[in-house]
Amino acid sequence: MIRNRNLTRWIFVLPAMIIVGLLFVYPFFSSIFYSFTNKHLIMPNYRFVGFDNYINVLSDPNFFTAFFNSLKWTIFSLVGQVLVGFVLALALHRVRHFKKLYRTLLIVPWAFPTIVIAFSWQWILNGVYGYLPNMIVKLGLMDVAPAFLTDSTWAFICLVFINVWFGAPMIMVNILSALQTVSQEQFEAAKIDGASSWQVFRYITLPHIRVVVGLLVVLRTVWIFNNFDIIYLITGGGPSNATMTVPIFAYNLGWGTKLIGRASAVTVLLFLFLMTICFIYFKIINKWEKEGR
């Protein structure tokens, strides 16, 4: 009887395992394997070249440009998303009327497909026919329409703003859910004891939700660092590589120059870097969980 139950479980789990294997395991290990070869997208034959791809990547200044752009992109976007999402969650938590309406309106950016968001913002910010640059000129704020997408500094700032606008609702929803699990009795006891709003937030609210916030930071760090679609669809990594990140750099190597082996080396380096960051994050989160017990 027990054997039959175990067999039934494996039968139900097997299709999911096969899909995971095809979509994750095979691409993962094939990337590692190809990173040690001179695999070319067009040439059928390839050979083992050891660490040559890694040496070529790490000696390429464009890689470090993309890496530091990814760092800036991740840090500014993550800080912006967490701050905005946190403030919105705290505000919604205090709202007594029309809470569902406000929550629905605030989550709208996250509900749209990325391609719709990218093309919409590209239309809004375009320096020739864009709504925002022309509106700025018509209002007399500037004599010439600002080049939001063709100026190196403005392009990066605009992309970070769009990413914060897009990702903050997800942070907001998760933090709001965490806030609703905090016992109201603790808030009432703190008020009776004369605690200020800051003391209530610091000693009651924050300790209860910091693990959730920490996990959100881990997930958003990986997601933002690996983000490809918004940047590529709006600026393509330009102007002058100002918005080129590591995923775009790897894409250009793999599909532009057809150097699959070297592009695979970039993805392996990216994976190792993100695993290191996640390891540090989880060490901190585990420490918080132990302190909360």
Side-chain angles (χ1 to χ4, degrees):
M1 187 69 176
I2 296 176
R3 289 182 179 179
N4 291 334
R5 287 182 180 178
N6 290 333
L7 181 61
T8 303
R9 292 171 183 173
W10 279 107
I11 291 174
F12 281 111
V13 171
L14 188 60
M17 293 180 64
I18 293 173
I19 292 173
V20 171
L22 292 174
L23 297 180
F24 174 74
V25 176
Y26 172 74
F28 175 75
F29 286 103
S30 64
S31 294
I32 295 176
F33 173 74
Y34 288 142
S35 69
F36 294 102
T37 69
N38 65 342
K39 174 71 174 176
H40 195 277
L41 189 61
I42 298 176
M43 304 298 180
N45 299 321
Y46 56 89
R47 58 185 175 81
F48 185 79
V49 295
F51 289 93
D52 287 356
N53 288 323
Y54 292 93
I55 294 171
N56 290 327
V57 168
L58 293 175
S59 60
D60 188 347
N62 289 326
F63 170 75
F64 288 99
T65 299
F67 180 74
F68 287 117
N69 283 342
S70 291
L71 282 179
K72 292 188 296 181
W73 162 254
T74 303
I75 292 170
F76 289 126
S77 296
L78 183 63
V79 171
Q81 288 184 9
V82 172
L83 287 178
V84 174
F86 207 100
V87 171
L88 291 175
L90 291 174
L92 277 178
H93 189 59
R94 292 177 174 271
V95 170
R96 292 292 177 264
H97 305 288
F98 304 109
K99 180 180 287 190
K100 292 183 179 180
L101 175 63
Y102 294 141
R103 188 187 305 173
T104 303
L105 292 175
L106 289 172
I107 206 173
V108 165
W110 192 46
F112 276 101
T114 306
I115 190 168
V116 174
I117 291 172
F119 287 156
S120 297
W121 279 105
Q122 195 176 51
W123 173 76
I124 293 171
L125 299 173
N126 189 279
V128 178
Y129 54 81
Y131 175 80
L132 185 60
N134 284 287
M135 181 60 68
I136 290 173
V137 174
K138 288 180 180 180
L139 292 174
L141 300 176
M142 298 180 70
D143 296 329
V144 180
F148 286 122
L149 300 180
T150 55
D151 179 81
S152 299
T153 303
W154 272 116
F156 187 83
I157 294 173
C158 289
L159 284 174
V160 170
F161 172 80
I162 294 169
N163 201 30
V164 171
W165 172 83
F166 172 69
M170 192 272 284
I171 302 288
M172 177 199 71
V173 170
N174 285 274
I175 293 179
L176 183 61
S177 299
L179 287 172
Q180 292 172 350
T181 63
V182 182
S183 174
Q184 294 298 318
E185 295 177 356
Q186 296 186 28
F187 290 123
E188 294 172 0
K191 289 179 181 179
I192 293 173
D193 292 337
S196 64
S197 298
W198 168 248
Q199 289 174 327
V200 171
F201 173 76
R202 180 179 178 183
Y203 295 108
I204 297 178
T205 305
L206 193 59
H208 276 84
I209 66 172
R210 62 181 180 180
V211 173
V212 174
V213 175
L215 291 173
L216 285 172
V217 168
V218 174
L219 294 174
R220 293 309 296 171
T221 298
V222 174
W223 184 266
I224 294 171
F225 208 98
N226 283 322
N227 193 273
F228 172 84
D229 43 9
I230 288 181
I231 302 175
Y232 189 80
L233 290 170
I234 296 177
T235 65
S240 301
N241 294 336
T243 60
M244 181 178 66
T245 56
V246 175
I248 294 178
F249 177 75
Y251 175 85
N252 291 336
L253 275 179
W255 296 98
T257 61
K258 316 300 183 189
L259 299 175
I260 297 297
R262 196 172 298 181
S264 298
V266 175
T267 59
V268 172
L269 291 172
L270 176 60
F271 171 77
L272 293 175
F273 174 76
L274 290 177
M275 286 299 99
T276 303
I277 297 297
C278 289
F279 175 78
I280 296 171
Y281 276 149
F282 282 123
K283 290 284 287 185
I284 297 172
I285 293 172
N286 288 334
K287 182 180 178 182
W288 288 346
E289 287 180 336
K290 291 178 181 178
E291 290 175 354
R293 291 175 183 172

